[in-house]
Amino acid sequence: MSDSTEELHVDQSKMHITDEIAIQITDMNKWYGEFHVLRDINLTVHRGERIVVCGPSGSGKSTLIRCINRLEEHQKGEIVVEGIELNSDLKNIDKIRAEVGMLFQSFNLFPHLTVLENCTLAPIWVRKTPKNEAEATAMQTLERVKIPEQAHKYPAQLSGGQQQRVAIARCLCMNPRIMLFDEPTSALDPEMIKEVLDVMVDLAEGGMTMLVVTHEMGFARRVANRVMFMDEGQIVEQNEPEEFFHNPQNERTKLFLSQILAH
Amino acid sequence: MKTSVFLGTLAAAGLAAGVAAAGTLADVKAKGFVQCGISTGVAGFAFTTAAGEWDGFDIDICRAVATAVFGDPKAVKFTPTTGKTRFTALASGEIDMLSRNTTWTYSRDVDLKLTFLGVNYYDGQGFMVPTALGVNSATELDGATVCIQTGTTTELNLADFFRANDISYEPVPVETNAEARAKYLAGACDVYTTDASGLAATRSTFENPDDHVILPEIISKEPLGPLVRHGDNEWGDVVRWTLNVLIIAEEKGITAANVGDMAAAPGKDPEINRLLGTEGEYGAMMGLSKDWAAKVIAAIGNYGEVFEKHIGVNTAIGLPRGLNAQWTDGGLIYSPPYR
Amino acid sequence: MSSEPNVAFVASGQIPPSAPPASEVGPIHWLRANLFDGVVNSILTVASIVAIVLLVPPLVDWIFIKGVWNAGSLSGCREVIAAAHGEGVTGACWAVINERFNQLIFGFYPSELYWRPILAFVLMLAALAPVLFSTLPRWMLWFSAAYPIAAYFLIWGGLGLEVVESGQIGGLLLSVIIGVTGIVASLPIGIVLALGRQSSMFFIKTICVVFIEFIRGVPLITLLFVASVLLNYFLPPGTSFDLILRVVIMVTLFASAYMAEVIRGGLAALDKGQYEAADALGLNYWKSTRLIILPQALKVSIPGIVNTFIGLFKDTTLVSVIGLLDPVGLLNPIRATAAWNGILWELYLFVAVLFWIFCFSMSRYSMYLEKKLKTDR
Amino acid sequence: MSVTTEPRQASFRIDMLWTDSRYRSTFLQIIALIAVMLAAFWLVNNVAQNLANLGKDFGFGFMTTPSSYDINQRLIDYTSRSSHSTAAVVGLLNTLLVAVLGCILATFLGVTAGVLRLSKNWIVSRLMTVYIEGVRNVPVLIQILLLSAILDEVLPHPKTAEALLGGFVVPTNRGFYFPIPTFQDGSLYVVLAFIASVIGAIWFGRWATRRQQQTGEHLPVAWIKLGLVAGVTLLTYLVMGLPIGLEYPELKGFNFKGGIYARTSLVALTLALSIYTGAFIAENVRAGIQAVSKGQTEAAFALGLRPSWTMNLIILPQALRVIIPPLISQYLNLTKNSSLALAIGYMDATGTLGGITLNQTGHAFETLMLLMAFYLSISLSISFVMNLYNEQVKLVERTSVAGGGFSVLALFAGVNGKWETLKKGDATMQPNYGVAGWLNLVVLLYGATLVMMLYYLFLDQSEGRDSYYLWGTGKQAITLFLTVFSATAFVTAIFKHYRFIDMAAAELVVFILAVLIGLPFGEMTFGLLDTSVVVFGGLAARLATIGYTVFGARPNVTYFYRVREGSGS
């Protein structure tokens, strides 16, 4: 789709998938009122896996990953994240949210706080880290996403790509085990997409468990170890990238791929 | 009045409550001043000076009570009240007494649970019209426009009077005397009705008082006086006898000027001796000092002096004593004996 | 220029600016464009000029030329005017303002202690500064937080300062006290109400909605009646406190309903993503509200809060109806004084101008804020 | 699988009340409920104790006793022997009178000033700025007092007053006197002719619009309409021999007699309120026009529309949508501010019920409760109208019906729609007309019944009928219960809570029972409205409510939610 991914340097060798289960979803269903958004979802994610979720708009892919940290509540079935079941117990929700980082399409940085404050807020208030320590970590993380010089600016003074990298840094400061990406590049200009994807590749190489909703098929091919296609609330097909792109099985997948790769 | 559903629940909830009747006199002594409810401004009776002090005929009653209790006419704080808020302020304990040209009526006494402690001014409702109208009697006022202060007994008297005489009129309610004065002078109403004292006071401030005439009809009795809450007799006695002391003092010829001499040593008149504390322990009966009355007269003057100072013929208000002369002079001002 | 088919063109230099034609500049053009642009406009212009000519000169004459500043009473004023301009001439008698100025501003506050309310007022401006201007250092907010206590002791005394009774407080001072206390105290209540109104909990939401709609549905004057005649009934028997305090309580409740609506607007202006991001970071409701939601919502609400304050400040004049002596309430005792019997316009005008100065400058400030907010984003 | 996921539906522990989202919200709400109830109990208990201590009783019985005071400005018959409740009604009507007059005048002033402030004419726009900024920033109380004083001083005494505008109005400092029309035989025909010609003019207007759309021809529609109405009416008037005349006021005794007149207090109050509110409306109008005009004007000009058409066809219809919500909230403010009437002795509800009645009877509690209830119901009604309007604007935008002003009737257009449409009032599938229309009707009926009940209970003074306060306790209780029930159902419907089937059903049972035993609605009559109308109207309203809940449609009544960006009161 976009050619910015062609230049991504990916070192597959650094990515390890372990046997430990990070996310286990069993027979999960969700409704918006009368509307059945997610139907019988079953998914097991091992630690270190990088899963790309794609599908037409309204297929429920965003809803799926939002269910994983309880931004949306599922009504039936079971979600276990890092051994903790997501149910009505608020303490469990708090624990899971501390372990799971999430990136949004529209960044959702806090505009009234500086970049550094954005990054230290959650460590200080949720993890109760001392301020100095939190700031030191934040500066390290900002260096990792390559914008330490912006630490004292406000989000509005940054470009879109920089903002999204700050958002990633904000997640990383919490030292999460799993990261969820909800179309992280679709609000960005083409020249900024790459700088965000670079950071994501870096994360993947570091062994992060990642669930990515995206239309960046290049990223999916090079980074993901599994691509998942969703339509009308159900997982239609999932496979390794090579197989998925070159040998799709389901008709709806074929149709979707033909449309999205036609350009 | 029939019991309503509301009342049932309210009364049931209220049964448990006991009546907390603390003595106001004790309270007043404890806090060190008298909280006195007054009007928000009536010429001669209550007004503010440029120095920011309240002054006037009603105000001096408050000061007299403060002197009686504390020996200090300044140990008083004033709460301006409107026609609407005055009784509530008294009933709720916000003020200790009310001295605000309030007419003593049956329903106020009985239904509103207030105790009137005497009369410091006998008034009656009258009418003022421009001389140019050529009206000689209130019964000729058919169809006239009448300015009237709301929130007082005057509007009830007015309605009754015109109804009884079967003539029509057009009431123009106004909030304050100052508004009424402006409206009347501008000709927005033909007649101004209020207590005769108020009429005279208002007329005196006109540029040409002679262009206006006060009609002979006095359509109501308006005994004005200080009042306190029901059921607090010690405090009521203090206020009542403070007023009476002023009256007796005038009757006996005790003035602010000569009270010092007269209180120095017992004189020939035993009542004066009792009053000024040179004989007996009369102050102690009320929980006051022996010479409380002497202090009151020294600080405030006697009734006649107060009258002349604020509203008498030599002031801008220029009211003659009339009904408010001592009984010895054919008036109604009369105090029970100090014995 | 040229009709030749060759369209290639290179500018040989910058054309220097020249003066516009005469019809585009000058007073004549201005008149034509702004005053006499068409028949209707010309008629409007003439009518306006006639109105101004009829109204303004007599007013200026009455207020300034024939106005008297020094006299002991209304009749004194009349004598001065008669002496200067002849019999039957009318003019403003500003002497009453001259004499009663301090009373209209401070009520019966002891004159030797005027410095205290003045100091309190100046300190108030200083305390407000860090709230209103975000460029100032944050530590100044501690001063703002401590200000109410300082102001209380400055105005009412205590802590070694001479005590001043509530009954002595009046005039503009009273209006400012009621208005400022009302708005400041209503802020936290308004925040809670606004959050409650956004709550998903039906019952809590209902309580907030009923409270807000009730308060906004009745005129302030009925609430003031409640303060003056009913509030004591709602408290345990024997409790009775100061009328000013009761009025402040009622005014606070009144303002908090309006404040809640202003803040609700601020909350609604917030992007939903902010809530989600805070959730995703693991902040709980109170932390995300305190750290993320309120700082942003309040900033957006400041112009609305200033407007609410203007409205409230103007509404403080209603306390005159229940016998408090604010500038309007003081008019009556002043007019009841023998010397000033019959004075009318001067007092009204003075009070009107007094309020106008305050409210107009505040409304300008709120406009400036709104503009700044628009460009800030 | 390394993790076994035993579904831990652990037994209930006490800390789950605040750590489990299933229980937490209920738990918090119950705590809030208990707190509110405790507070309410504490307040009521204090009130009861205080009243008992003062020896006062609580009740509305005093409302039926003679008021003993006179009121000059009254729209219904009233003397000093009438009851306090009649005096209250006189006051309420006076409030409504000043509110309606004030709103009309304020709109006129505000729209004029708002448009003129945008005028290119320098002097006019400056004058309007002076008016708006001068008036907005001065407390309305001072303006009322000032204007009242000006009218008193400036206007002539009746003795020297002169008729203006050909005798049409006589301004005096007592009031403004107008002639009153007198109707003789045959005047009915004139009135009928007038109505007929107005209908004809409307029909002609529609015909002309159609014709213009088909043929593109412009007719001077306004002139023809005017000619039609004036011509026909005038002709009938002449033919019938001038049956309608005017009775002019004349100076008799102290004052003018005859005609109708408006007291100066009414005039001063109306003027002051509308000048004050007009300044706010002017700002709203200006903001509305500016919000629309920039790009839209250019677009319209680019299409070749003339400036006047641009204003009428493009700017105003769009600007109105921006202007009307704040406009209505200004109406609300004006109505609330009318309570300042007591400062100049205009006898509105605050002057009678909250003024003299409170003063003379000392029943502060009861009078203030009634007074607040009155203002509250006006406010809620005004927001109701505003929300109806907003709903319709939303509908119009959703169904992309171009232009189109607001009409109350359109809200009920869906009432005759197909049942399927009504049942499936889903915004995404169908325009919500049906359900909205029906539900408006239901809420209106609820409201009407409630108003009638309240009127019947507390205000109706007709002959031969016991006042509520004199009934037996049982009858009082049943009636009150019914009213409260009706009110709660009404409030529930207002506040969007659509699952009120149980409440509505229970109410229905009680209502039927009440009708069966003849209490108390058996004796209800309201002028033309017969008892049956009320009873069956109430029944229909309740049935419809139940029907909606049963059939799954969602009575999404958002109308009462205020969308006000109010600026002060």
Side-chain angles (χ1 to χ4, degrees):
Chain A
M1 189 182 164
S2 125
D3 49 1
S4 58
T5 55
E6 300 299 321
E7 303 148 21
L8 286 177
H9 290 283
V10 183
D11 185 354
Q12 288 277 357
S13 65
K14 287 187 185 167
M15 307 175 187
H16 304 289
I17 300 173
T18 67
D19 280 346
E20 290 166 61
I21 294 176
I23 305 169
Q24 172 83 52
I25 301 177
T26 320
D27 291 332
M28 192 260 279
N29 279 276
K30 175 171 176 59
W31 289 264
Y32 283 133
E34 294 279 309
F35 183 51
H36 200 163
V37 218
L38 292 176
R39 308 176 192 183
D40 288 339
I41 304 288
N42 281 291
L43 177 69
T44 306
V45 181
H46 291 267
R47 195 159 291 157
E49 273 203 278
R50 301 145 324 263
I51 300 178
V52 162
V53 187
C54 60
S57 68
S59 59
K61 47 192 196 309
S62 282
T63 314
L64 172 62
I65 71 164
R66 287 158 66 87
C67 279
I68 292 173
N69 70 348
R70 201 60 162 196
L71 285 183
E72 306 278 356
E73 193 177 335
H74 62 282
Q75 280 101 10
K76 223 174 109 187
E78 194 172 77
I79 302 176
V80 179
V81 182
E82 295 291 339
I84 307 165
E85 196 199 335
L86 264 183
N87 55 17
S88 52
D89 192 333
L90 296 165
K91 280 192 242 160
N92 287 357
I93 296 173
D94 284 347
K95 277 186 219 157
I96 288 173
R97 281 179 176 165
E99 298 299 334
V100 180
M102 178 151 188
L103 241 67
F104 300 88
Q105 180 181 354
S106 51
F107 328 135
N108 293 345
L109 292 178
F110 304 129
H112 62 300
L113 303 176
T114 62
V115 166
L116 190 64
E117 285 168 339
N118 261 288
C119 292
T120 54
L121 183 89
I124 291 175
W125 290 92
V126 180
R127 288 237 194 267
K128 319 267 186 240
T129 321
K131 197 177 172 202
N132 294 338
E133 212 175 291
E135 283 184 352
T137 320
M139 283 312 294
Q140 281 169 15
T141 323
L142 285 174
E143 263 163 46
R144 191 171 162 195
V145 300
K146 302 183 182 69
I147 35 172
E149 70 281 2
Q150 315 283 9
H152 296 286
K153 287 193 180 166
Y154 282 90
Q157 296 165 295
L158 306 184
S159 73
Q162 288 172 324
Q163 288 195 37
Q164 193 62 302
R165 282 188 281 156
V166 172
I168 293 175
R170 183 172 71 176
C171 290
L172 290 179
C173 285
M174 286 292 280
N175 209 2
R177 296 182 171 195
I178 302 168
M179 281 191 66
L180 310 171
F181 294 82
D182 189 359
E183 308 202 13
T185 54
S186 50
L188 296 175
D189 293 337
E191 67 266 31
M192 294 172 182
I193 289 176
K194 185 172 171 290
E195 58 186 60
V196 172
L197 289 182
D198 277 337
V199 175
M200 287 168 68
V201 169
D202 179 49
L203 280 181
E205 286 173 350
M208 179 68 76
T209 312
M210 297 165 71
L211 239 76
V212 186
V213 173
T214 187
H215 294 143
E216 297 291 337
M217 290 305 146
F219 177 80
R221 267 191 208 136
R222 283 145 193 265
V223 180
N225 65 311
R226 198 179 345 160
V227 181
M228 210 165 91
F229 175 70
M230 286 185 72
D231 192 21
E232 297 196 350
Q234 98 189 52
I235 301 177
V236 174
E237 186 167 353
Q238 52 175 321
N239 213 331
E240 292 180 356
E242 283 303 308
E243 280 294 297
F244 181 86
F245 286 111
H246 294 119
N247 192 12
Q249 304 292 313
N250 190 295
E251 285 306 314
R252 280 189 275 175
T253 318
K254 286 178 191 167
L255 183 67
F256 177 73
L257 286 176
S258 71
Q259 281 170 345
I260 203 164
L261 298 173
H263 308 274
Chain B
M1 270 172 251
K2 285 262 177 178
T3 314
S4 78
V5 183
F6 288 115
L7 175 60
T9 52
L10 286 177
L15 275 179
V19 178
T24 309
L25 181 57
D27 288 351
V28 166
K29 279 183 170 168
K31 66 185 174 185
F33 58 88
V34 178
Q35 192 76 45
C36 194
I38 52 171
S39 73
T40 57
V42 174
F45 288 82
F47 54 88
T48 63
T49 62
E53 294 284 329
W54 282 98
D55 204 0
F57 189 68
D58 284 339
I59 304 298
D60 272 354
I61 301 294
C62 300
R63 294 200 187 280
V65 173
T67 319
V69 180
F70 300 106
D72 177 10
K74 296 217 178 281
V76 56
K77 288 176 182 168
F78 297 104
T79 302
T81 57
T82 65
K84 197 191 295 328
T85 61
R86 53 182 163 176
F87 299 129
T88 328
L90 187 58
S92 70
E94 188 186 344
I95 53 177
D96 302 318
M97 60 176 286
L98 184 66
S99 173
R100 183 201 187 277
N101 52 358
T102 300
T103 307
W104 185 351
T105 70
Y106 173 81
S107 64
R108 284 172 178 176
D109 204 332
V110 176
D111 191 29
L112 296 182
K113 317 278 185 207
L114 305 169
T115 302
F116 286 82
L117 304 163
V119 177
N120 67 343
Y121 193 90
Y122 287 94
D123 217 332
Q125 187 176 345
F127 298 97
M128 174 163 65
V129 294
T131 322
L133 280 183
V135 174
N136 295 316
S137 156
T139 50
E140 294 168 33
L141 289 174
D142 190 15
T145 305
V146 184
C147 275
I148 178 170
Q149 269 190 68
T150 62
T152 64
T153 45
T154 44
E155 53 201 344
L156 306 187
N157 298 333
L158 186 70
D160 288 351
F161 174 78
F162 278 89
R163 194 172 177 81
N165 286 294
D166 200 21
I167 47 182
S168 68
Y169 73 109
E170 187 74 41
V172 175
V174 286
E175 272 289 292
T176 63
N177 186 57
E179 303 283 333
R181 181 186 186 279
K183 268 202 187 304
Y184 172 76
L185 277 185
C189 41
D190 302 305
V191 190
Y192 178 32
T193 178
T194 189
D195 294 346
S197 62
L199 289 180
T202 308
R203 190 174 78 137
S204 68
T205 65
F206 290 168
E207 274 181 271
N208 303 308
D210 295 339
D211 292 351
H212 304 271
V213 56
I214 294 174
L215 296 180
E217 282 90 348
I218 296 294
I219 63 169
S220 69
K221 293 179 287 183
E222 308 278 350
L224 312 176
L227 54 154
V228 297
R229 280 179 293 278
H230 249 193
D232 196 355
N233 296 336
E234 283 79 15
W235 175 241
D237 287 343
V238 171
V239 180
R240 176 184 294 116
W241 281 96
T242 307
L243 177 61
N244 285 340
V245 159
L246 298 180
I247 295 170
I248 299 172
E250 187 190 17
E251 184 189 339
K252 298 289 182 186
I254 312 171
T255 65
N258 66 15
V259 66
D261 296 341
M262 294 174 84
K268 287 178 188 163
D269 186 335
E271 185 164 13
I272 294 178
N273 293 346
R274 286 191 295 269
L275 189 73
L276 298 182
T278 50
E279 183 185 323
E281 288 292 339
Y282 284 85
M285 293 179 196
M286 277 202 307
L288 299 179
S289 67
K290 194 173 168 159
D291 58 346
W292 69 278
K295 283 181 186 158
V296 168
I297 300 164
I300 311 294
N302 66 34
Y303 179 86
E305 286 178 297
V306 174
F307 193 103
E308 292 305 331
K309 181 173 154 202
H310 294 298
I311 51 180
V313 282
N314 294 322
T315 65
I317 315 288
L319 291 174
R321 288 293 289 264
L323 283 179
N324 296 297
Q326 285 285 338
W327 63 285
T328 44
D329 300 334
L332 290 174
I333 294 296
Y334 181 104
S335 163
Y338 196 86
R339 177 177 288 282
Chain C
M1 278 234 195
S2 151
S3 58
E4 283 183 26
N6 185 4
V7 291
F9 168 76
V10 177
S12 55
Q14 181 69 38
I15 302 169
S18 53
S23 63
E24 280 298 307
V25 287
I28 305 289
H29 166 74
W30 187 88
L31 281 178
R32 273 244 303 274
N34 290 310
L35 294 181
F36 299 99
D37 177 25
V39 180
V40 180
N41 252 343
S42 308
I43 293 172
L44 280 175
T45 305
V46 172
S48 307
I49 291 173
V50 168
I52 292 172
V53 167
L54 281 182
L55 278 177
V56 175
L59 270 181
V60 170
D61 184 60
W62 184 77
I63 292 173
F64 297 107
I65 300 175
K66 309 264 163 62
V68 175
W69 280 94
N70 287 307
S73 66
L74 182 60
S75 43
C77 271
R78 289 192 180 126
E79 280 160 23
V80 173
I81 296 170
H85 305 283
E87 282 294 325
V89 177
T90 55
C93 181
W94 300 113
V96 64
I97 308 295
N98 199 4
E99 184 191 303
R100 298 300 175 106
F101 181 81
N102 286 338
Q103 212 170 75
L104 285 167
I105 302 295
F106 298 104
F108 306 135
Y109 210 89
S111 56
E112 68 278 11
L113 299 178
Y114 280 165
W115 62 272
R116 276 163 45 181
I118 292 172
L119 180 63
F121 185 77
V122 173
L123 285 181
M124 181 182 82
L125 296 182
L128 275 177
V131 180
L132 298 180
F133 300 99
S134 46
T135 49
L136 291 167
R138 294 292 89 185
W139 57 262
M140 284 184 72
L141 282 172
W142 289 107
F143 172 68
S144 310
Y147 172 74
I149 303 161
Y152 174 82
F153 285 114
L154 267 180
I155 290 172
W156 275 273
L159 291 181
L161 291 170
E162 191 183 326
V163 173
V164 177
E165 289 300 321
S166 285
Q168 292 174 279
I169 294 170
L172 192 68
L173 176 62
L174 182 66
S175 304
V176 174
I177 289 177
I178 293 176
V180 171
T181 324
I183 217 75
V184 170
S186 71
L187 195 60
I189 306 177
I191 291 173
V192 171
L193 284 174
L195 291 174
R197 196 171 180 164
Q198 295 230 317
S199 163
S200 55
M201 293 182 233
F202 175 75
F203 182 70
I204 288 179
K205 184 174 176 163
T206 309
I207 297 175
C208 294
V209 169
V210 167
F211 178 84
I212 294 173
E213 297 300 310
F214 172 75
I215 297 281
R216 285 157 57 97
V218 299
L220 176 58
I221 204 162
T222 57
L223 293 176
L224 291 176
F225 284 166
V226 169
S228 67
V229 298
L230 287 190
L231 204 57
N232 278 339
Y233 284 102
F234 287 107
L235 300 168
T239 357
S240 115
F241 46 88
D242 195 36
L243 180 59
I244 293 185
L245 184 56
R246 279 182 281 152
V247 165
V248 165
I249 290 175
M250 256 5 228
V251 163
T252 304
L253 292 182
F254 176 77
S256 58
Y258 286 83
M259 195 64 94
E261 290 299 277
V262 170
I263 293 169
R264 188 165 74 114
L267 289 174
L270 216 59
D271 184 20
K272 195 169 149 248
Q274 295 289 317
Y275 294 87
E276 288 183 349
D279 277 353
L281 283 175
L283 295 169
N284 65 21
Y285 176 80
W286 289 112
K287 281 181 191 158
S288 65
T289 304
R290 196 182 114 205
L291 298 168
I292 310 296
I293 307 304
L294 281 182
Q296 299 186 53
L298 285 182
K299 190 182 170 201
V300 181
S301 314
I302 288 181
I305 294 174
V306 176
N307 282 337
T308 311
F309 177 63
I310 298 174
L312 188 68
F313 187 61
K314 282 186 290 177
D315 281 347
T316 57
T317 49
L318 303 199
V319 300
S320 61
V321 175
I322 56 168
L324 281 185
L325 299 179
D326 79 316
V328 180
L330 273 170
L331 299 191
N332 197 41
I334 293 178
R335 284 165 71 185
T337 319
W340 303 112
N341 249 309
I343 201 132
L344 186 69
W345 309 107
E346 295 83 350
L347 288 168
Y348 281 147
L349 281 179
F350 175 74
V351 176
V353 168
L354 201 62
F355 273 92
W356 185 84
I357 291 171
F358 272 78
C359 296
F360 181 73
S361 40
M362 282 191 288
S363 78
R364 287 284 122 167
Y365 173 72
S366 127
M367 272 181 204
Y368 152 79
L369 271 185
E370 266 168 60
K371 270 202 192 114
K372 204 174 132 223
L373 263 183
K374 264 185 202 154
T375 51
D376 259 8
R377 297 226 199 139
Chain D
M1 283 211 194
S2 61
V3 181
T4 48
T5 58
E6 184 68 26
R8 284 172 298 147
Q9 289 302 333
S11 58
F12 178 79
R13 297 187 318 276
I14 191 73
D15 68 326
M16 286 172 83
L17 283 180
W18 55 91
T19 61
D20 194 308
S21 62
R22 272 173 300 173
Y23 308 115
R24 190 159 85 150
S25 114
T26 321
F27 177 64
L28 288 176
Q29 295 195 52
I30 288 174
I31 289 190
L33 182 68
I34 292 172
V36 167
M37 279 171 56
L38 280 178
F41 176 77
W42 185 70
L43 292 176
V44 169
N45 191 37
N46 282 340
V47 169
Q49 281 192 20
N50 280 316
L51 286 175
N53 289 354
L54 294 173
K56 282 191 176 180
D57 52 358
F58 184 90
F60 289 91
F62 70 92
M63 289 293 283
T64 53
T65 57
S67 66
S68 304
Y69 59 88
D70 283 298
I71 301 175
N72 51 26
Q73 179 85 39
R74 51 185 185 256
L75 298 174
I76 57 172
D77 279 344
Y78 172 85
T79 68
S80 58
R81 304 317 301 161
S82 306
S83 67
H84 279 295
S85 55
T86 317
V89 175
V90 171
L92 307 190
L93 290 174
N94 281 347
T95 296
L96 293 178
L97 175 71
V98 86
V100 170
L101 290 178
C103 286
I104 295 171
L105 194 58
T107 314
F108 175 75
L109 279 176
V111 171
T112 314
V115 170
L116 284 184
R117 194 176 177 188
L118 288 174
S119 155
K120 277 193 292 179
N121 189 319
W122 184 83
I123 198 164
V124 170
S125 70
R126 284 309 135 98
L127 269 185
M128 288 307 132
T129 311
V130 168
Y131 156 59
I132 291 168
E133 292 299 341
V135 163
R136 274 203 322 168
N137 291 310
V138 173
V140 65
L141 177 61
I142 298 175
Q143 296 190 40
I144 292 174
L145 290 170
L146 196 57
L147 198 70
S148 165
I150 289 179
L151 286 191
D152 283 345
E153 296 286 333
V154 169
L155 292 177
H157 191 269
K159 293 268 154 64
T160 56
E162 282 174 39
L164 298 176
L165 304 175
F168 190 70
V169 55
V170 189
T172 74
N173 56 11
R174 314 277 169 86
F176 290 70
Y177 294 79
F178 303 97
I180 192 169
T182 54
F183 297 96
Q184 283 121 30
D185 290 346
S187 48
L188 183 65
Y189 294 99
V190 181
V191 175
L192 285 179
F194 175 73
I195 294 171
S197 61
V198 167
I199 294 172
I202 292 172
W203 177 85
F204 170 76
R206 293 194 175 169
W207 176 82
T209 315
R210 265 203 309 278
R211 200 177 106 101
Q212 194 244 318
Q213 281 166 356
Q214 281 162 7
T215 65
E217 226 173 304
H218 277 285
L219 288 176
V221 180
W223 289 111
I224 297 180
K225 274 184 185 172
L226 191 71
L228 196 64
V229 174
V232 171
T233 315
L234 207 64
L235 199 69
T236 329
Y237 181 64
L238 291 174
V239 168
M240 296 311 296
L242 314 178
I244 300 176
L246 287 175
E247 185 195 312
Y248 289 90
E250 279 173 63
L251 185 64
K252 279 183 191 155
F254 293 100
N255 283 316
F256 279 84
K257 293 277 160 68
I260 32 180
Y261 84 117
R263 290 219 60 91
T264 35
S265 55
L266 170 67
V267 176
L269 185 65
T270 314
L271 270 181
L273 286 176
S274 44
I275 289 174
Y276 181 73
T277 315
F280 287 92
I281 292 178
E283 279 300 274
N284 294 336
V285 168
R286 183 179 70 107
I289 292 178
Q290 278 181 337
V292 174
S293 67
K294 265 187 186 167
Q296 294 288 318
T297 315
E298 287 173 2
F301 284 176
L303 285 173
L305 290 174
R306 280 192 218 146
S308 62
W309 296 354
T310 307
M311 197 61 170
N312 287 332
L313 294 173
I314 312 292
I315 308 290
L316 275 183
Q318 297 186 60
L320 275 184
R321 285 189 204 159
V322 185
I323 294 168
I324 283 182
L327 183 72
I328 294 179
S329 83
Q330 289 304 336
Y331 289 166
L332 193 56
N333 285 340
L334 187 144
T335 311
K336 286 194 284 173
N337 279 337
S338 73
S339 56
L340 296 178
L342 89 166
I344 55 166
Y346 175 71
M347 285 288 131
D348 74 332
T350 317
T352 57
L353 183 60
I356 306 181
T357 295
L358 189 162
N359 260 329
Q360 304 295 1
T361 64
H363 287 271
F365 244 102
E366 297 86 336
T367 46
L368 283 181
M369 268 170 63
L370 288 177
L371 188 65
M372 285 187 168
F374 164 68
Y375 281 110
L376 206 56
S377 47
I378 293 187
S379 301
L380 285 179
S381 316
I382 292 180
S383 2
F384 176 70
V385 172
M386 175 160 74
N387 290 319
L388 281 181
Y389 173 81
N390 284 340
E391 186 71 9
Q392 184 164 7
V393 165
K394 265 191 254 158
L395 283 181
V396 169
E397 278 167 3
R398 197 185 300 150
T399 52
S400 73
V401 176
F406 173 74
S407 107
V408 177
L409 284 180
L411 279 167
F412 301 100
V415 171
N416 303 317
K418 282 188 207 138
W419 178 241
E420 280 307 304
T421 320
L422 300 180
K423 230 173 80 178
K424 278 206 155 188
D426 185 340
T428 55
M429 326 262 292
Q430 298 274 358
N432 217 353
Y433 269 114
V435 174
W438 275 102
L439 214 86
N440 289 339
L441 211 60
V442 170
V443 173
L444 277 182
L445 268 170
Y446 262 129
T449 353
L450 204 60
V451 169
M452 285 174 184
M453 279 183 186
L454 289 173
Y455 174 81
Y456 173 75
L457 286 183
F458 299 112
L459 293 177
D460 185 24
Q461 299 289 321
S462 50
E463 290 290 320
R465 176 182 173 283
D466 272 355
S467 156
Y468 170 81
Y469 314 103
L470 308 176
W471 296 352
T473 316
K475 199 175 167 184
Q476 276 187 339
I478 291 180
T479 320
L480 208 66
F481 181 61
L482 275 173
T483 315
V484 169
F485 227 107
S486 207
T488 46
F490 184 57
V491 170
T492 327
I494 289 170
F495 289 117
K496 245 187 180 174
H497 193 60
Y498 61 93
R499 290 193 195 94
F500 50 98
I501 178 162
D502 43 349
M503 188 173 281
E507 187 191 352
L508 190 66
V509 172
V510 179
F511 199 82
I512 291 171
L513 277 177
V515 173
L516 283 181
I517 57 175
L519 269 180
F521 306 100
E523 40 183 303
M524 271 175 133
T525 45
F526 307 106
L528 292 176
L529 270 178
D530 192 56
T531 319
S532 52
V533 177
V534 179
V535 172
F536 289 111
L539 280 177
R542 284 154 188 81
L543 274 175
T545 321
I546 293 174
Y548 276 112
T549 326
V550 170
F551 288 106
R554 203 184 165 111
N556 183 14
V557 188
T558 49
Y559 317 132
F560 284 82
Y561 268 22
R562 299 195 190 163
V563 195
R564 259 192 277 143
E565 41 273 37
S567 43
S569 62

